[in-house]
Amino acid sequence: MTGRRCRGCGSDQLDIVLDLHSVPAADQFPEYASAGSDDARHPLAMVLCGRCALAQLADDDTVADEPRGIEPKALTDQAAEAVAVVADSGWLRGSTVREFGSPHGGTWLPLLSDRGVDEVEPGQRADVVLDCFGIMHEPDQADAFAVRAASLAEDGVLLIQFHTLSAIVREGQWNALRHGHFAYYSLTSLIHLLAGVGLVARSAWTFELYGGTVLVAATRTGVPDASIREILEAERAAGIDDAQTVGALDTAAETDRAMLHDSLVELKSAGKVVFAYGAASRAVALFAMAELTRSLLAGVADASPSKQGRRMPGTDIPIISPAELVAAQPDVVLLTLPDLLGELDASIPELRGRWWLHGTDIREGTR
């Protein structure tokens, strides 16, 4: 490829590993009254750096404008678990923290405050610098890591959590690619980025969220422990720095698109009423690529009031409230975010046994 440089190391050794061509912006949910208009489409592709192994968004000409969602219980539970693990492992150092938040919301600050670690004043360096799913939203990755390193006290610790590329590839989660998400990290690529700002990955913990997230503790000095070495060895064995391996996502995208469209056609022919739950940004490209319409998918419920009354970009499918979903008495509900299943089973018992998890074949049954 020519004309592009790696967002992390500046190399021009970039290979396209996933190309969704032109799809609607993932963070712009139009008012439903505009249904029928032609929504703008934008290129969406992932490239892999041959030097530092960073998977990244190739280009992005969109302007972020996503209505704020509601933080899922799965995320809040995972945050509490992560803070506990870090504290028990002795990595919760000092008494001050600076958090670089995610545009999608959520914060660890109350959890840290309960443990005597409080937010610093603007401009001050902190004993703990925290980034949970935030740094991937930065177009200039090298600069973003430099800013976080500069915010860190000399003997402080950077805690950074990310949805690992290994899980994305292993589970065919091609729809993790979206506008506004500029980087998709493996521990291999993260170590390169940390080294560029004088930091060393010291320890890591893996969680089940999103099929696999990793939390890393990094400092200015020291030696990586066994947890770092184990993850790196697993990534090498999986070929996570290989363009052909990561390129399996391209095949997964086409398989998923065809399965969703064909399954919805079959369900409609059988007289089934199908809705979805989760007007998630990662569902935007899928719905557009599968050429879904309201005739196949009657609506998408979402708990965020700011999304209700809007529609899925590139479609005429309305976004409704959970109460409207229950009132519609659907036969099947496509769950675009499978991590929500436990929470929804508890909060919407009326729909138990009707959930169809995205990425599974409807013929495997609902849950």
Side-chain angles (χ1 to χ4, degrees), residues 184-216:
Y184 304 84
Y185 312 98
S186 59
L187 182 57
T188 300
S189 63
L190 187 77
I191 284 175
H192 281 281
L193 289 160
L194 292 172
V197 294
L199 296 178
V200 179
R202 299 285 305 282
S203 194
W205 303 268
T206 301
F207 303 90
E208 294 181 357
L209 185 69
Y210 302 144
T213 64
V214 172
L215 173 63
V216 171

Side-chain angles (χ1 to χ4, degrees), residues 19-28 39-45 57 59-63 178-179 284-285 313:
D19 191 351
L20 303 183
H21 304 290
S22 293
V23 297
D27 52 11
Q28 297 174 4
D39 295 335
R41 292 187 172 236
H42 309 266
L44 184 58
L57 187 62
D59 298 293
D60 190 356
D61 62 357
T62 68
V63 178
R178 52 148 289 182
H179 300 110
V284 171

Side-chain angles (χ1 to χ4, degrees), residues 231-272:
I231 294 175
L232 288 176
E233 288 172 5
E235 289 184 350
R236 280 194 292 270
I240 207 63
D241 59 348
D242 176 65
Q244 184 173 354
T245 298
V246 181
L249 291 172
D250 213 56
T251 301
E254 173 54 28
T255 300
D256 207 4
R257 180 207 66 77
M259 182 177 69
L260 178 59
H261 182 273
D262 294 348
S263 296
L264 287 172
V265 169
E266 291 178 15
L267 288 167
K268 179 181 179 180
S269 298
K272 303 294 185 181

Side-chain angles (χ1 to χ4, degrees), residues 22-259:
S22 293
V23 297
D27 52 11
Q28 297 174 4
F29 293 81
E31 295 289 342
Y32 187 73
S34 66
S37 64
D38 291 328
D39 295 335
R41 292 187 172 236
H42 309 266
L44 184 58
M46 177 189 289
V47 296
L48 184 71
C49 179
R51 177 187 293 171
C52 72
L54 179 66
Q56 56 203 273
L57 187 62
D59 298 293
D60 190 356
D61 62 357
T62 68
V63 178
D65 185 33
E66 182 175 0
R68 183 59 61 94
I70 304 296
E71 188 176 25
K73 185 175 183 297
L75 268 176
T76 58
D77 288 349
Q78 193 276 327
E81 181 184 0
V83 170
V85 166
V86 170
D88 291 346
S89 301
W91 285 103
L92 203 55
R93 300 180 172 181
S95 60
T96 58
V97 61
R98 178 174 178 185
E99 182 180 53
F100 288 84
S102 164
H104 304 300
T107 177
W108 291 16
L109 292 180
L111 295 168
L112 295 172
S113 180
D114 289 344
R115 295 177 177 271
V117 182
D118 295 310
E119 192 171 15
V120 295
E121 295 295 326
Q124 292 184 336
R125 297 202 297 174
D127 300 315
V128 177
V129 173
L130 170 65
D131 191 300
C132 178
F133 305 126
I135 199 167
M136 68 186 299
H137 297 86
E138 301 286 352
D140 188 333
Q141 286 288 297
D143 180 70
F145 276 84
V147 168
R148 285 151 181 78
S151 302
L152 190 64
E154 192 61 31
D155 59 349
V157 57
L158 169 65
L159 298 175
I160 182 167
Q161 180 164 279
F162 56 95
H163 182 195
T164 174
L165 182 65
S166 294
I168 291 172
V169 173
R170 181 181 65 250
E171 301 193 7
Q173 298 174 352
W174 62 270
N175 61 333
L177 177 67
R178 52 148 289 182
H179 300 110
H181 286 184
F182 294 94
Y184 304 84
Y185 312 98
S186 59
L187 182 57
T188 300
S189 63
L190 187 77
I191 284 175
H192 281 281
L193 289 160
L194 292 172
V197 294
L199 296 178
V200 179
R202 299 285 305 282
S203 194
W205 303 268
T206 301
F207 303 90
E208 294 181 357
L209 185 69
Y210 302 144
T213 64
V214 172
L215 173 63
V216 171
T219 61
R220 299 188 191 281
T221 60
V223 178
D225 67 15
S227 65
I228 296 292
R229 295 191 294 273
E230 289 171 4
I231 294 175
L232 288 176
E233 288 172 5
E235 289 184 350
R236 280 194 292 270
I240 207 63
D241 59 348
D242 176 65
Q244 184 173 354
T245 298
V246 181
L249 291 172
D250 213 56
T251 301
E254 173 54 28
T255 300
D256 207 4
R257 180 207 66 77
M259 182 177 69

